[in-house]
Amino acid sequence: MHANCSTKKVEIFLMGKEGKMGKMVRELAEKDPEVEVVEGGDVVIDFSSPEGTKKAIAMQKPLVCGTTGLSEEIFEQLHALSKKVPVLYSPNFSLGMALCFEMLTFLKKRLKKQAKITIEETHHTQKIDAPSGTAKRMAKILEVEEVLSHREGNVTGIHQVDFLLANEKITLSHEALSRASFAEGALMAAKFLWNQPPKYYSMRDFINPI
């Protein structure tokens, strides 16, 4: 991880502060001596909606965005903003999932031609987008078109990828046990981002690749 050598607290503005993720980020931020949630803020953390993300972009401040279901137009706006201020977008801020993305890249290079690849994801029934943004990122990495999605109970998030070979199967699975895993990653991303130069960043930029 990249350490921030400044003793100044990173002031964070929460877009979507009344949502489940916003409340979790605030709860963890209150226990973190390196950050403070304020109006305005040095960095915007956005877990809201496409409309909320547009408002976050309009603030013209360093932006950590975890909102999924965004249109191509909004992604273009995020990229345009990154020419002026640092922007970090990820569909999943879990540190474990960031490492899973790295492992999938590794496995794809070695198994793409030999394996049949399937992706499956399960989330709680209130999750609107399907497939999840995380599953879409997996599919993009692996060049897979189809994702099997399930919506069940209060499941925070389960993603599984199977690589079926002639005589064996490799399974990579990740389960988020709490939304706190996403909130922790978002706060780490904000601390990393606030003094970075303008660029479009990802979780890979502040997690050491395996």
Side-chain angles (χ1 to χ4, degrees), residues 159-176:
H159 293 84
Q160 179 172 312
V161 181
D162 289 325
F163 295 82
L164 183 61
L165 300 164
N167 298 299
E168 57 187 319
K169 181 172 73 171
I170 299 172
T171 297
L172 179 63
S173 179
H174 177 276
E175 180 174 1

Side-chain angles (χ1 to χ4, degrees), residues 20-154:
K20 292 178 180 178
M21 274 306 306
K23 290 178 180 177
M24 181 61 71
V25 172
R26 178 182 289 276
E27 180 181 332
L28 294 186
E30 289 174 351
K31 302 174 184 177
D32 189 333
E34 297 181 351
V35 301
E36 183 178 10
V37 176
V38 299
E39 291 299 317
D42 301 313
V43 181
V44 179
I45 294 181
D46 170 38
F47 286 105
S48 58
S49 64
E51 286 304 311
T53 299
K54 289 181 181 180
K55 293 177 182 178
I57 292 170
M59 294 178 71
Q60 299 284 295
K61 292 189 175 186
L63 174 59
V64 173
C65 181
T67 300
T68 57
L70 301 180
S71 65
E72 286 301 317
E73 178 187 359
I74 295 178
F75 276 115
E76 289 174 3
Q77 292 175 15
L78 286 171
H79 279 281
L81 178 64
S82 72
K83 305 294 184 183
K84 303 175 183 178
V85 297
V87 173
L88 193 157
Y89 177 82
S90 179
N92 190 313
F93 279 90
S94 155
L95 303 185
M97 182 54 72
L99 293 175
C100 283
F101 289 151
E102 294 293 324
M103 287 186 273
L104 289 177
T105 300
F106 174 87
L107 289 169
K108 177 201 169 185
K109 290 178 181 177
R110 287 151 180 81
L111 298 175
K112 175 64 178 176
K113 294 181 180 179
Q114 301 104 304
K116 177 183 179 182
I117 304 173
T118 59
I119 303 172
E120 191 168 352
E121 59 97 354
T122 304
H123 283 83
H124 53 87
T125 54
Q126 293 180 326
K127 185 169 179 62
I128 298 173
D129 54 319
S132 67
T134 301
K136 288 180 180 178
R137 173 68 64 84
M138 289 177 158
K140 184 175 182 179
I141 291 171
L142 297 170
E143 298 178 359
V144 172
E145 294 184 3
E146 186 176 353
V147 174
L148 185 59
S149 297
H150 307 282
R151 296 293 174 263
E152 301 174 1
N154 296 314

